[in-house]
Amino acid sequence: MTPTDRHLLRTLAPLLAAESSAEASAAGVEASDLEQAVWLKLLERLQDDAAPSHPADWLRRAVRAEARRARRAALRERPYRGEEATEPHDSPESSALTTERRRAVRAAVRRTPGHCPRLLTAMLDPADPTYREIAGELGISQGSLGPMRSRCLGCLRRMLASEVPAATPRGRVRETDRWTR
């Protein structure tokens, strides 16, 4: 590697770090992984004596291309059968996330209208009561429990959807223009 190449690498390092950190979260990878992949591509080009004529522009394009490659790979990759796809269930992080999700659901249940808080609380009971037991507890007929449950769950779903956006494969949600309604 020539002294000119070393100087080029030193001057591009801050730009590469900034571009990688900007693209990493959308790609679902670590910024350091993006940096490493782009460094490797640049070093391969320098080894072939094909230094880019506009290094900063080349670097930006290379980071974006590598981020796109990582996103495509993440969409195709699936865990092997029997292999944990997420963190172990007994990890502190998993426990904290589960506790937070339960807290959010219970808080939303308390804000539902009418008889919904009582019905949904009874359905979330760890003792897993039957429809007959829930209907007896609430003082309603067992036949009306299903439709009431459906309305309450729909209300809860709408409440939670406004608080936590649903995950989409591409991560983008198109909003309708509120002025044309």
Side-chain angles (χ1 to χ4, degrees):
M1 185 178 313
T2 67
T4 306
D5 292 343
R6 285 190 191 99
H7 176 71
L8 176 65
L9 295 178
R10 274 195 310 272
T11 57
L12 289 179
L15 177 62
L16 178 58
E19 289 289 328
S20 296
S21 65
E23 293 288 332
S25 63
V29 295
E30 296 289 323
S32 59
D33 292 341
L34 275 179
E35 281 185 60
Q36 183 177 7
V38 174
W39 277 132
L40 183 61
K41 284 184 176 190
L42 181 58
L43 291 173
E44 287 171 350
R45 282 192 69 140
L46 292 175
Q47 186 178 12
D48 295 339
D49 293 328
S53 57
H54 299 287
D57 293 337
W58 178 89
L59 186 121
R60 287 183 185 100
R61 285 192 309 275
V63 168
R64 286 176 180 82
E66 198 58 36
R68 280 192 305 274
R69 188 204 56 75
R71 276 193 297 273
R72 284 192 306 269
L75 289 173
R76 288 189 310 266
E77 292 175 352
R78 300 285 180 251
Y80 290 113
R81 294 182 201 268
E83 185 176 312
E84 282 292 321
T86 59
E87 295 183 22
H89 295 289
D90 58 349
S91 71
E93 294 85 4
S94 177
S95 177
L97 289 173
T98 300
T99 302
E100 180 59 25
R101 277 189 223 107
R102 286 183 180 153
R103 187 206 58 77
V105 168
R106 295 215 182 260
V109 163
R110 285 191 299 273
R111 293 191 318 266
T112 55
H115 296 290
C116 291
R118 291 181 55 215
L119 171 66
L120 293 172
T121 300
M123 294 187 81
L124 290 171
D125 188 347
D128 196 24
T130 64
Y131 266 32
R132 178 175 289 164
E133 293 168 338
I134 293 173
E137 182 183 326
L138 298 177
I140 60 174
S141 72
Q142 189 175 343
S144 64
L145 191 59
M148 185 178 179
R149 175 194 66 115
S150 180
R151 286 190 302 274
C152 292
L153 287 173
C155 181
L156 181 64
R157 187 178 303 115
R158 287 186 300 275
M159 289 174 71
L160 289 173
S162 68
E163 294 175 11
V164 179
T168 59
R170 300 284 181 189
R172 293 181 181 209
V173 177
R174 175 171 278 174
E175 293 186 28
T176 58
D177 185 9
R178 64 178 184 217
W179 302 111
T180 60
R181 287 185 196 172

Coordinates of all heavy atoms in Angstrom, one line a residue, residues 42-119:
L42 N -12.9 -1.3 -0.6 CA -12.0 -0.3 -1.0 C -10.5 -0.8 -1.1 O -9.8 -0.5 -2.0 CB -12.0 0.9 0.0 CG -11.1 2.1 -0.3 CD1 -11.4 2.7 -1.7 CD2 -11.2 3.1 0.8
L43 N -10.2 -1.6 -0.1 CA -8.8 -2.2 -0.1 C -8.6 -3.1 -1.4 O -7.5 -3.2 -2.0 CB -8.5 -3.0 1.2 CG -8.3 -2.1 2.4 CD1 -8.2 -2.9 3.7 CD2 -7.2 -1.1 2.2
E44 N -9.7 -3.9 -1.7 CA -9.6 -4.7 -2.9 C -9.4 -3.8 -4.2 O -8.6 -4.2 -5.1 CB -10.8 -5.5 -3.1 CG -10.9 -6.7 -2.1 CD -12.2 -7.4 -2.1 OE1 -13.2 -6.9 -2.7 OE2 -12.3 -8.5 -1.4
R45 N -10.1 -2.7 -4.2 CA -9.9 -1.8 -5.4 C -8.5 -1.2 -5.4 O -7.9 -1.1 -6.5 CB -10.9 -0.6 -5.3 CG -12.3 -1.1 -5.7 CD -13.2 0.2 -5.9 NE -12.7 0.9 -7.1 CZ -13.5 1.5 -7.9 NH1 -14.8 1.4 -7.8 NH2 -13.0 2.2 -8.9
L46 N -8.0 -0.8 -4.2 CA -6.7 -0.2 -4.2 C -5.6 -1.3 -4.5 O -4.6 -1.0 -5.2 CB -6.4 0.3 -2.8 CG -7.2 1.6 -2.4 CD1 -6.9 2.0 -1.0 CD2 -6.9 2.7 -3.3
Q47 N -5.9 -2.5 -4.2 CA -4.9 -3.6 -4.5 C -4.9 -3.8 -6.0 O -3.8 -4.2 -6.6 CB -5.3 -4.9 -3.8 CG -4.3 -6.0 -4.0 CD -4.8 -7.2 -3.2 OE1 -5.9 -7.3 -2.7 NE2 -3.8 -8.2 -3.1
D48 N -6.0 -3.6 -6.7 CA -6.1 -3.8 -8.1 C -5.7 -2.5 -8.9 O -5.8 -2.4 -10.1 CB -7.5 -4.2 -8.6 CG -7.9 -5.5 -8.1 OD1 -7.1 -6.3 -7.7 OD2 -9.2 -5.8 -8.0
D49 N -5.1 -1.5 -8.1 CA -4.7 -0.2 -8.7 C -5.9 0.5 -9.4 O -5.7 1.1 -10.4 CB -3.6 -0.4 -9.7 CG -2.3 -0.8 -9.0 OD1 -2.1 -0.4 -7.8 OD2 -1.5 -1.6 -9.6
A50 N -7.1 0.3 -8.8 CA -8.3 1.0 -9.4 C -8.9 1.9 -8.3 O -10.0 1.8 -8.0 CB -9.3 -0.1 -9.8
A51 N -8.1 2.8 -7.9 CA -8.5 3.8 -6.9 C -9.7 4.6 -7.5 O -9.6 5.0 -8.6 CB -7.4 4.7 -6.4
P52 N -10.7 4.8 -6.7 CA -11.9 5.6 -7.2 C -11.4 7.0 -7.5 O -10.7 7.6 -6.8 CB -12.9 5.5 -6.2 CG -12.2 5.0 -4.9 CD -11.0 4.4 -5.3
S53 N -12.0 7.6 -8.6 CA -11.6 8.9 -9.0 C -12.2 10.0 -8.0 O -11.6 11.0 -7.8 CB -12.0 9.2 -10.4 OG -13.4 9.0 -10.6
H54 N -13.4 9.7 -7.5 CA -14.1 10.5 -6.5 C -14.3 9.7 -5.3 O -15.4 9.1 -5.1 CB -15.4 11.1 -7.1 CG -15.2 11.9 -8.3 ND1 -14.7 13.2 -8.2 CD2 -15.5 11.7 -9.6 CE1 -14.6 13.7 -9.4 NE2 -15.1 12.8 -10.3
P55 N -13.3 9.6 -4.4 CA -13.4 8.6 -3.3 C -14.6 8.8 -2.4 O -15.2 7.8 -1.9 CB -12.1 8.8 -2.5 CG -11.2 9.6 -3.4 CD -12.1 10.3 -4.4
A56 N -14.9 10.1 -2.1 CA -16.1 10.3 -1.1 C -17.4 9.8 -1.8 O -18.2 9.2 -1.1 CB -16.1 11.8 -0.8
D57 N -17.6 10.1 -3.0 CA -18.8 9.7 -3.7 C -18.9 8.2 -3.8 O -19.9 7.5 -3.6 CB -18.9 10.3 -5.1 CG -19.1 11.8 -5.1 OD1 -19.6 12.3 -4.1 OD2 -18.8 12.4 -6.1
W58 N -17.7 7.6 -4.1 CA -17.7 6.1 -4.2 C -18.0 5.5 -2.9 O -18.7 4.5 -2.8 CB -16.2 5.7 -4.7 CG -16.1 4.2 -4.7 CD1 -16.4 3.4 -5.8 CD2 -15.8 3.3 -3.6 NE1 -16.2 2.1 -5.4 CE2 -15.8 2.0 -4.1 CE3 -15.4 3.5 -2.3 CZ2 -15.5 0.9 -3.3 CZ3 -15.1 2.4 -1.5 CH2 -15.2 1.1 -2.0
L59 N -17.4 6.1 -1.8 CA -17.7 5.6 -0.5 C -19.1 5.6 -0.1 O -19.7 4.7 0.4 CB -16.8 6.3 0.5 CG -16.9 5.8 1.9 CD1 -15.5 5.4 2.4 CD2 -17.5 6.8 2.9
R60 N -19.8 6.7 -0.4 CA -21.2 6.9 -0.1 C -22.0 5.8 -0.8 O -22.9 5.2 -0.2 CB -21.7 8.3 -0.4 CG -21.3 9.3 0.5 CD -21.9 10.7 0.2 NE -21.3 11.7 1.0 CZ -20.3 12.5 0.6 NH1 -19.8 12.5 -0.6 NH2 -19.9 13.5 1.5
R61 N -21.7 5.6 -2.1 CA -22.5 4.6 -2.9 C -22.2 3.2 -2.4 O -23.1 2.4 -2.3 CB -22.1 4.7 -4.4 CG -22.7 5.9 -5.1 CD -22.5 5.8 -6.6 NE -21.2 5.6 -7.0 CZ -20.2 6.5 -7.2 NH1 -20.6 7.8 -7.0 NH2 -19.0 6.2 -7.6
A62 N -20.9 3.0 -2.0 CA -20.6 1.6 -1.5 C -21.3 1.3 -0.2 O -21.8 0.2 0.0 CB -19.1 1.5 -1.3
V63 N -21.4 2.3 0.7 CA -22.1 2.1 2.0 C -23.6 1.8 1.7 O -24.1 0.8 2.3 CB -22.0 3.3 2.9 CG1 -22.9 3.2 4.1 CG2 -20.5 3.4 3.4
R64 N -24.2 2.5 0.9 CA -25.6 2.3 0.5 C -25.8 0.9 -0.1 O -26.8 0.2 0.2 CB -26.2 3.4 -0.3 CG -26.4 4.7 0.5 CD -26.8 5.9 -0.3 NE -27.0 7.1 0.5 CZ -26.0 7.9 0.9 NH1 -24.8 7.6 0.5 NH2 -26.3 8.9 1.6
A65 N -24.9 0.6 -1.0 CA -25.0 -0.7 -1.7 C -24.9 -1.9 -0.7 O -25.6 -2.9 -0.7 CB -24.0 -0.8 -2.8
E66 N -23.9 -1.7 0.2 CA -23.7 -2.7 1.3 C -24.9 -2.8 2.2 O -25.3 -3.9 2.6 CB -22.4 -2.4 2.0 CG -21.9 -3.6 2.8 CD -21.6 -4.8 1.9 OE1 -21.1 -4.7 0.8 OE2 -21.8 -5.9 2.4
A67 N -25.5 -1.7 2.5 CA -26.7 -1.7 3.4 C -27.9 -2.4 2.7 O -28.6 -3.1 3.3 CB -27.1 -0.2 3.7
R68 N -28.1 -2.1 1.4 CA -29.1 -2.8 0.6 C -28.9 -4.3 0.6 O -29.8 -5.1 0.7 CB -29.2 -2.3 -0.8 CG -29.9 -1.0 -1.0 CD -30.2 -0.6 -2.5 NE -29.0 -0.6 -3.3 CZ -28.2 0.4 -3.5 NH1 -28.4 1.5 -2.8 NH2 -27.1 0.3 -4.2
R69 N -27.6 -4.7 0.4 CA -27.3 -6.1 0.4 C -27.6 -6.8 1.7 O -28.2 -7.8 1.8 CB -25.8 -6.3 0.1 CG -25.4 -7.8 -0.1 CD -24.0 -8.1 0.2 NE -23.5 -7.7 1.5 CZ -23.8 -8.3 2.6 NH1 -24.5 -9.4 2.6 NH2 -23.3 -7.9 3.8
A70 N -27.3 -6.0 2.8 CA -27.6 -6.6 4.2 C -29.1 -6.7 4.4 O -29.6 -7.7 5.0 CB -27.0 -5.7 5.2
R71 N -29.9 -5.7 3.9 CA -31.4 -5.8 4.1 C -31.9 -6.9 3.3 O -32.8 -7.7 3.8 CB -32.0 -4.5 3.6 CG -32.0 -3.4 4.6 CD -33.0 -2.2 4.1 NE -32.5 -1.6 2.9 CZ -31.7 -0.6 2.9 NH1 -31.2 -0.1 4.0 NH2 -31.4 0.0 1.7
R72 N -31.5 -7.1 2.1 CA -32.0 -8.3 1.3 C -31.6 -9.6 1.9 O -32.4 -10.5 2.0 CB -31.4 -8.2 -0.2 CG -32.0 -7.2 -1.0 CD -31.6 -7.4 -2.5 NE -30.2 -7.4 -2.7 CZ -29.4 -6.4 -3.0 NH1 -30.0 -5.2 -3.1 NH2 -28.1 -6.5 -3.2
A73 N -30.4 -9.7 2.5 CA -30.0 -10.9 3.1 C -30.8 -11.2 4.4 O -31.2 -12.3 4.6 CB -28.5 -10.8 3.5
A74 N -31.2 -10.1 5.1 CA -32.0 -10.3 6.3 C -33.4 -10.8 6.0 O -34.0 -11.5 6.7 CB -32.0 -9.0 7.1
L75 N -33.9 -10.3 4.8 CA -35.2 -10.8 4.4 C -35.2 -12.3 4.0 O -36.2 -13.0 4.2 CB -35.8 -9.9 3.3 CG -36.2 -8.5 3.6 CD1 -36.5 -7.7 2.4 CD2 -37.3 -8.5 4.6
R76 N -34.1 -12.7 3.5 CA -34.0 -14.1 3.0 C -33.6 -15.1 4.1 O -34.0 -16.3 4.1 CB -33.0 -14.2 1.9 CG -33.5 -13.7 0.6 CD -32.5 -14.0 -0.5 NE -31.2 -13.7 -0.2 CZ -30.5 -12.6 -0.6 NH1 -31.1 -11.7 -1.2 NH2 -29.2 -12.5 -0.3
E77 N -32.9 -14.7 5.1 CA -32.4 -15.6 6.1 C -33.4 -16.0 7.1 O -34.2 -15.2 7.5 CB -31.2 -14.9 6.9 CG -30.0 -14.7 6.0 CD -28.9 -13.9 6.7 OE1 -29.2 -13.4 7.9 OE2 -27.8 -13.8 6.2
R78 N -33.4 -17.2 7.4 CA -34.4 -17.8 8.4 C -33.5 -18.7 9.4 O -32.6 -19.4 9.0 CB -35.4 -18.7 7.8 CG -36.3 -17.9 6.8 CD -37.3 -17.1 7.5 NE -38.1 -16.3 6.6 CZ -38.0 -15.1 6.3 NH1 -37.2 -14.3 7.0 NH2 -38.8 -14.5 5.5
P79 N -33.9 -18.7 10.7 CA -33.2 -19.6 11.6 C -33.4 -21.1 11.3 O -34.5 -21.4 10.8 CB -33.7 -19.2 13.0 CG -35.0 -18.6 12.7 CD -35.0 -18.0 11.3
Y80 N -32.4 -21.9 11.6 CA -32.6 -23.3 11.5 C -33.6 -23.8 12.5 O -33.9 -23.2 13.5 CB -31.3 -24.1 11.7 CG -30.3 -23.8 10.6 CD1 -29.1 -23.1 10.9 CD2 -30.5 -24.3 9.3 CE1 -28.2 -22.9 9.9 CE2 -29.6 -24.1 8.3 CZ -28.4 -23.4 8.6 OH -27.5 -23.2 7.6
R81 N -34.3 -25.0 12.1 CA -35.2 -25.6 13.0 C -34.5 -25.9 14.4 O -33.4 -26.4 14.3 CB -35.8 -26.8 12.5 CG -36.7 -26.5 11.2 CD -37.2 -27.9 10.8 NE -37.6 -27.8 9.4 CZ -38.8 -27.4 9.0 NH1 -39.8 -27.2 9.8 NH2 -39.1 -27.4 7.7
G82 N -35.2 -25.6 15.4 CA -34.6 -25.9 16.7 C -33.7 -24.9 17.3 O -33.3 -24.9 18.4
E83 N -33.3 -23.9 16.4 CA -32.3 -22.9 16.8 C -33.1 -21.7 17.3 O -34.1 -21.3 16.7 CB -31.5 -22.5 15.6 CG -30.4 -21.5 16.0 CD -29.5 -21.2 14.8 OE1 -29.1 -22.2 14.1 OE2 -29.3 -20.0 14.5
E84 N -32.7 -21.1 18.4 CA -33.4 -19.9 18.9 C -33.3 -18.8 17.9 O -32.2 -18.4 17.5 CB -32.8 -19.5 20.2 CG -33.2 -20.3 21.4 CD -34.7 -20.1 21.7 OE1 -35.2 -19.0 21.7 OE2 -35.3 -21.1 22.1
A85 N -34.4 -18.2 17.6 CA -34.4 -17.1 16.6 C -34.2 -15.8 17.4 O -33.8 -14.8 16.8 CB -35.8 -17.0 15.9
T86 N -34.5 -15.7 18.6 CA -34.3 -14.5 19.4 C -33.5 -14.9 20.6 O -32.9 -16.0 20.7 CB -35.7 -14.0 19.9 OG1 -36.3 -15.0 20.7 CG2 -36.5 -13.6 18.7
E87 N -33.4 -14.0 21.6 CA -32.6 -14.2 22.8 C -33.3 -15.3 23.6 O -34.5 -15.5 23.5 CB -32.6 -12.9 23.6 CG -31.8 -11.8 22.8 CD -31.7 -10.5 23.7 OE1 -31.8 -10.6 24.9 OE2 -31.5 -9.5 23.1
P88 N -32.5 -15.9 24.5 CA -33.1 -16.9 25.3 C -34.2 -16.3 26.2 O -34.1 -15.2 26.6 CB -31.9 -17.4 26.2 CG -30.7 -16.9 25.5 CD -31.1 -15.8 24.7
H89 N -35.2 -17.1 26.5 CA -36.4 -16.6 27.3 C -36.0 -16.2 28.7 O -36.7 -15.4 29.3 CB -37.5 -17.6 27.3 CG -38.1 -17.9 25.9 ND1 -38.8 -16.9 25.3 CD2 -37.9 -18.9 25.1 CE1 -39.2 -17.4 24.1 NE2 -38.6 -18.6 24.0
D90 N -34.9 -16.7 29.2 CA -34.6 -16.4 30.6 C -33.5 -15.3 30.7 O -33.0 -15.1 31.8 CB -34.1 -17.7 31.3 CG -32.9 -18.3 30.6 OD1 -32.6 -17.9 29.5 OD2 -32.2 -19.2 31.2
S91 N -33.3 -14.6 29.6 CA -32.3 -13.5 29.7 C -33.0 -12.3 30.3 O -34.2 -12.1 30.2 CB -31.8 -13.2 28.3 OG -32.8 -12.5 27.6
P92 N -32.2 -11.4 30.9 CA -32.8 -10.2 31.6 C -33.4 -9.3 30.5 O -34.5 -8.7 30.8 CB -31.5 -9.5 32.2 CG -30.5 -10.6 32.3 CD -30.8 -11.6 31.2
E93 N -32.9 -9.2 29.3 CA -33.5 -8.4 28.3 C -34.8 -8.9 27.9 O -35.8 -8.2 27.7 CB -32.5 -8.3 27.0 CG -31.2 -7.6 27.3 CD -30.2 -8.6 27.8 OE1 -30.4 -9.8 28.0 OE2 -29.1 -8.1 28.2
S94 N -34.9 -10.2 27.7 CA -36.2 -10.9 27.3 C -37.2 -10.7 28.4 O -38.4 -10.3 28.1 CB -36.0 -12.3 27.0 OG -37.2 -12.9 26.7
S95 N -36.8 -10.8 29.6 CA -37.7 -10.7 30.7 C -38.2 -9.2 30.8 O -39.4 -9.0 31.0 CB -37.0 -11.0 32.0 OG -37.8 -10.8 33.1
A96 N -37.3 -8.3 30.6 CA -37.7 -6.9 30.7 C -38.7 -6.5 29.5 O -39.7 -5.8 29.7 CB -36.5 -6.0 30.6
L97 N -38.4 -7.0 28.3 CA -39.3 -6.7 27.2 C -40.7 -7.3 27.4 O -41.7 -6.7 27.1 CB -38.7 -7.2 25.9 CG -37.5 -6.5 25.4 CD1 -36.8 -7.2 24.2 CD2 -37.9 -5.1 25.0
T98 N -40.7 -8.6 27.9 CA -42.0 -9.2 28.2 C -42.8 -8.5 29.2 O -44.0 -8.2 29.1 CB -41.8 -10.7 28.6 OG1 -41.1 -11.4 27.6 CG2 -43.1 -11.4 28.9
T99 N -42.1 -8.0 30.3 CA -42.8 -7.3 31.3 C -43.3 -5.9 30.8 O -44.4 -5.5 31.1 CB -41.8 -7.0 32.5 OG1 -41.3 -8.2 33.0 CG2 -42.5 -6.2 33.6
E100 N -42.6 -5.3 29.9 CA -43.0 -4.0 29.3 C -44.2 -4.2 28.4 O -45.1 -3.4 28.4 CB -41.8 -3.3 28.6 CG -42.2 -2.0 28.0 CD -42.7 -1.0 28.9 OE1 -42.4 -1.0 30.1 OE2 -43.4 -0.1 28.5
R101 N -44.2 -5.3 27.6 CA -45.3 -5.6 26.7 C -46.6 -5.8 27.6 O -47.7 -5.3 27.2 CB -45.0 -6.8 25.9 CG -44.2 -6.4 24.6 CD -44.2 -7.6 23.7 NE -42.8 -7.7 23.2 CZ -41.9 -8.6 23.5 NH1 -42.2 -9.6 24.3 NH2 -40.7 -8.6 23.0
R102 N -46.5 -6.6 28.6 CA -47.6 -6.9 29.5 C -48.1 -5.6 30.1 O -49.3 -5.4 30.2 CB -47.2 -7.9 30.5 CG -47.1 -9.3 30.0 CD -46.8 -10.3 31.0 NE -46.7 -11.6 30.4 CZ -46.0 -12.6 31.0 NH1 -45.3 -12.4 32.1 NH2 -45.9 -13.8 30.4
R103 N -47.2 -4.8 30.6 CA -47.6 -3.5 31.2 C -48.4 -2.6 30.2 O -49.4 -2.1 30.5 CB -46.4 -2.8 31.7 CG -46.8 -1.5 32.5 CD -45.7 -0.4 32.5 NE -45.4 0.0 31.2 CZ -46.1 0.9 30.4 NH1 -47.2 1.3 30.9 NH2 -45.7 1.2 29.2
A104 N -47.9 -2.6 29.0 CA -48.6 -1.8 27.9 C -50.0 -2.3 27.6 O -50.9 -1.5 27.5 CB -47.7 -1.7 26.7
V105 N -50.1 -3.6 27.5 CA -51.4 -4.2 27.2 C -52.4 -4.0 28.4 O -53.5 -3.6 28.2 CB -51.3 -5.7 26.9 CG1 -52.6 -6.4 26.9 CG2 -50.5 -5.9 25.6
R106 N -51.9 -4.2 29.6 CA -52.8 -4.0 30.8 C -53.2 -2.5 30.9 O -54.4 -2.2 31.2 CB -52.1 -4.5 32.0 CG -51.9 -6.0 32.0 CD -52.1 -6.6 33.4 NE -51.9 -8.0 33.3 CZ -52.9 -8.9 33.3 NH1 -54.1 -8.5 33.2 NH2 -52.6 -10.2 33.2
A107 N -52.3 -1.6 30.6 CA -52.7 -0.2 30.7 C -53.7 0.2 29.6 O -54.6 0.9 29.8 CB -51.4 0.7 30.5
A108 N -53.5 -0.4 28.4 CA -54.5 -0.2 27.3 C -55.9 -0.8 27.7 O -56.9 -0.2 27.4 CB -54.0 -0.7 26.0
V109 N -55.8 -2.0 28.3 CA -57.1 -2.6 28.7 C -57.8 -1.7 29.7 O -59.1 -1.6 29.6 CB -56.8 -4.0 29.4 CG1 -58.0 -4.5 30.2 CG2 -56.4 -5.0 28.3
R110 N -57.2 -1.1 30.6 CA -57.8 -0.2 31.6 C -58.5 1.0 30.9 O -59.4 1.5 31.4 CB -56.8 0.2 32.6 CG -56.5 -0.8 33.7 CD -55.7 -0.3 34.9 NE -54.4 0.3 34.5 CZ -53.3 -0.3 34.4 NH1 -53.3 -1.6 34.6 NH2 -52.2 0.3 34.1
R111 N -57.9 1.4 29.7 CA -58.5 2.6 29.0 C -59.6 2.2 28.1 O -60.2 3.1 27.5 CB -57.4 3.3 28.3 CG -56.3 3.9 29.2 CD -55.4 4.8 28.4 NE -54.9 4.3 27.1 CZ -53.8 3.6 26.9 NH1 -53.0 3.3 27.9 NH2 -53.5 3.2 25.7
T112 N -59.9 0.9 27.9 CA -61.0 0.6 26.9 C -62.3 1.0 27.5 O -62.5 1.1 28.7 CB -61.0 -0.9 26.7 OG1 -61.1 -1.6 27.9 CG2 -59.8 -1.4 25.9
P113 N -63.3 1.3 26.6 CA -64.6 1.8 27.1 C -65.6 0.7 27.6 O -65.4 -0.5 27.3 CB -65.2 2.4 25.8 CG -64.6 1.6 24.7 CD -63.2 1.3 25.2
G114 N -66.6 1.1 28.3 CA -67.7 0.2 28.8 C -67.3 -0.9 29.6 O -66.5 -0.8 30.5
H115 N -67.8 -2.1 29.3 CA -67.5 -3.3 30.0 C -66.2 -4.0 29.6 O -65.8 -5.0 30.2 CB -68.7 -4.4 29.7 CG -70.0 -3.9 30.3 ND1 -70.3 -3.8 31.6 CD2 -71.1 -3.5 29.6 CE1 -71.5 -3.4 31.8 NE2 -72.1 -3.2 30.6
C116 N -65.5 -3.4 28.6 CA -64.3 -4.1 28.1 C -63.2 -4.3 29.1 O -62.6 -5.3 29.1 CB -63.8 -3.3 26.9 SG -64.9 -3.4 25.4
P117 N -63.0 -3.3 30.0 CA -61.9 -3.5 31.0 C -62.1 -4.8 31.8 O -61.2 -5.6 32.0 CB -61.9 -2.3 31.8 CG -62.4 -1.2 31.0 CD -63.4 -1.9 30.1
R118 N -63.4 -5.0 32.3 CA -63.7 -6.1 33.1 C -63.6 -7.4 32.3 O -63.0 -8.4 32.8 CB -65.1 -6.0 33.7 CG -65.1 -4.9 34.8 CD -66.5 -4.8 35.4 NE -67.0 -6.0 36.0 CZ -68.3 -6.4 36.0 NH1 -69.2 -5.6 35.5 NH2 -68.6 -7.5 36.5
L119 N -64.1 -7.4 31.1 CA -64.1 -8.6 30.3 C -62.6 -9.0 29.9 O -62.2 -10.1 30.0 CB -64.9 -8.4 29.0 CG -64.8 -9.5 27.9 CD1 -65.3 -10.8 28.4 CD2 -65.4 -9.1 26.6

